[in-house]
Amino acid sequence: MNILLSIIYLIATVTFVIGLKLLGHPETAKKGNLISAVGMVLAIIGTIFLHDFEVPSINYILIGAALLVGTILGWIIAMKVEMTKMPELVSLFNGFGGGSALLIGIVEFNKNVGLEDASKASASIITTILAAIIIGSITFTGSLVAWAKLNGSMKDLRLPKYNLINNILFLALVAFASYIVLVNTDSFILIYVLLAASLIYGYLFVAPIGGADMPVVISLLNSLTGIAAAITGILYGNMVMLVGGILVGSAGLILTFVMCKAMNRSLTNVIFGAFGGDAATGAITGGKSGGTIKKTTASDSAILLNYASKVVIVPGYGLAVAQAQHVIHELELLLTKKGVDVSYAIHPVAGRMPGHMNVLLAESNVDYDKLIEMDDINPQFPNTDVVLVVGANDVVNPAAHNDPSSPIYGMPILDVENAKHIIVNKRTMNAGYAGIENELFFNTKTSMLFGDAKSALTELVSELKNM
């Protein structure tokens, strides 16, 4: 590797580290993403034009065409995707990363362990190649299943003894891969059998996991994609791929455990448990029947908000579905002009992916200082006059504290029931992603404002303007 390329890789590595650091706060996340992207562009250009081996001219044309097509498609998809579809997009792109790793593994097997070179390949090289194939395959099909679940086009699949089946298949994968390494085979039939088994395992690994746990699964799969990228970096002796893969893998794993902690559950419980399934299943497994509810109107809600001193807004997935982030910001500005102290309560797993609500509100230019995390906002609820819950459900369900039989018992939640008044905006009384009834809806301090979030908030704003 020449000196210039080494310098470019060093610069790219530094930009990855800086970018990852900046991604830790909403105010600097955009800048961090841009810095990392610039570093990746430098690494790609350096790899194409400054490598130490000869490449036929036709290959440059193919590489350029692939980059152009990928850039255009990625730009179009990113520009057109709605915020509600962002978790699905993350899953899809993550799957592409896994698919790339498995294809690289197959190509490198042909290159290093092919018919002519079978006797020359070391066990370490074969092990690395097979690891790329297995992890890439699992990530590819697992991410596609996660995408389908978030998209609503796939339901949970629970085969009898599915944990046993998955564990046996995983052990069989490890044993089969070990056999290939030990015999140093050049058989592509065995490699394709391993590939097929890995793809099947990726499907079976994610298929039984409930929709409520998809954010955790996405983080875990993202970590696996990083590991696969690091493995390909080892295959090519490419330090920037290795460092980038390690950063993605470690960050994804840390985020996975953070989200598990936010739900008061272990990773093994997420993978092997039954939480977060279909609504019908969840309703049977837990949740107390609350009794009667109290309906309210936009006019009555506006009066309550108008005379409040402190208001806390709790955004949820329903806000994203209705694309009501701009209206809720307008409501916040209007209340602030009236002298009301307004802030937003952000639960770590609100929405369908980590940071979903932060990104959604940032899109409407909400002041970052008004976004308050769960641990900081919970002590403020007893002194809050009105809590406005928009589209959130499980993250404000008191059953997490009160009902030991509930599937979400022990999960840290936003303690909105401690506020003086509670307004909950929902389309219907349908259960949340966990599939259980919400005790908050039956609280004597709770008023239900039914309707689409955008329409309800627009009406609220209109009522407040006339006061």
Side-chain angles (χ1 to χ4, degrees), residues 94-436:
N94 193 58
F96 291 161
S100 298
L102 75 88
L103 290 175
I104 288 173
I106 293 174
V107 169
E108 288 303 304
F109 183 85
N110 183 41
K111 176 182 177 182
N112 293 281
V113 199
L115 294 175
E116 299 178 359
D117 302 324
S119 60
K120 301 177 183 179
S122 66
S124 60
I125 291 178
I126 300 176
T127 300
T128 306
I129 291 173
L130 297 185
I133 293 174
I134 293 173
I135 297 176
S137 300
I138 292 172
T139 305
F140 177 67
T141 49
S143 296
L144 292 183
V145 171
W147 169 82
K149 282 176 172 284
L150 290 170
N151 192 42
S153 56
M154 179 178 175
K155 300 297 183 181
D156 299 339
L157 172 67
R158 291 194 178 276
L159 299 173
K161 305 291 184 182
Y162 74 92
N163 281 334
L164 181 62
I165 294 173
N166 284 353
N167 290 335
I168 291 175
L169 181 55
F170 178 75
L171 293 175
L173 280 175
V174 174
F176 189 48
S178 300
Y179 169 77
I180 294 176
V181 173
L182 290 174
V183 300
N184 199 4
T185 180
D186 59 5
S187 173
F188 272 92
I189 295 178
L190 295 182
I191 291 300
Y192 287 130
V193 170
L194 180 68
L195 172 64
S198 300
L199 291 171
I200 293 172
Y201 177 76
Y203 173 84
L204 294 176
F205 173 69
V206 180
I209 301 176
D213 287 326
M214 279 304 106
V216 179
V217 174
I218 291 173
S219 297
L220 180 60
L221 293 173
N222 187 60
S223 177
L224 293 178
T225 300
I227 294 172
I231 291 172
T232 56
I234 295 173
L235 285 174
Y236 290 121
N238 190 312
M239 291 301 102
V240 75
M241 286 183 69
L242 178 61
V243 172
I246 291 173
L247 289 174
V248 173
S250 58
L253 196 59
I254 291 171
L255 182 59
T256 299
F257 285 115
V258 167
M259 296 186 67
C260 286
K261 182 180 179 181
M263 296 189 298
N264 194 37
R265 301 172 64 225
S266 66
L267 182 58
T268 54
N269 185 250
V270 171
I271 296 173
F272 302 114
F275 174 70
D278 295 335
T281 303
I284 296 173
T285 58
K288 294 180 179 178
S289 178
T292 59
I293 63 169
K294 180 172 60 178
K295 296 182 181 180
T296 188
T297 63
S299 178
D300 291 340
S301 298
I303 293 173
L304 199 58
L305 292 169
N306 187 63
Y307 290 100
S309 297
K310 181 177 177 59
V311 171
V312 174
I313 300 172
V314 180
Y317 185 65
L319 179 73
V321 171
Q323 291 289 290
Q325 62 269 29
H326 298 289
V327 184
I328 205 166
H329 181 42
E330 184 181 0
L331 174 66
E332 169 224 320
L333 293 176
L334 186 57
L335 289 173
T336 301
K337 287 182 180 179
K338 292 176 176 287
V340 181
D341 177 16
V342 183
S343 56
Y344 296 83
I346 307 297
H347 192 281
V349 294
R352 293 295 183 267
M353 66 181 292
H356 197 174
M357 293 300 104
N358 302 70
V359 176
L360 185 73
L361 295 172
E363 187 182 26
S364 60
N365 297 318
V366 171
D367 188 346
Y368 299 117
D369 293 334
K370 290 185 176 292
L371 307 182
I372 305 179
E373 300 296 330
M374 177 180 64
D375 292 338
D376 296 323
I377 197 70
N378 273 344
Q380 300 182 27
F381 283 121
N383 299 319
T384 300
D385 296 306
V386 182
V387 170
L388 175 60
V389 180
V390 184
N393 201 326
D394 301 320
V395 297
V396 295
N397 192 343
H401 297 326
N402 307 330
D403 185 5
S405 67
S406 173
I408 65 170
Y409 183 71
M411 183 180 88
I413 61 167
L414 294 167
D415 299 327
V416 300
E417 75 271 18
N418 294 331
K420 298 173 184 176
H421 300 281
I422 307 160
I423 301 173
V424 177
N425 169 234
K426 274 178 61 67
R427 286 177 178 269
T428 66
M429 285 291 292
N430 287 346
Y433 227 10
I436 59 176

Side-chain angles (χ1 to χ4, degrees), residues 289-294 429 439-444 446 448:
S289 178
T292 59
I293 63 169
K294 180 172 60 178
M429 285 291 292
E439 293 182 10
L440 182 70
F441 301 162
F442 307 98
N443 192 305
T444 56
T446 300
M448 301 296 297

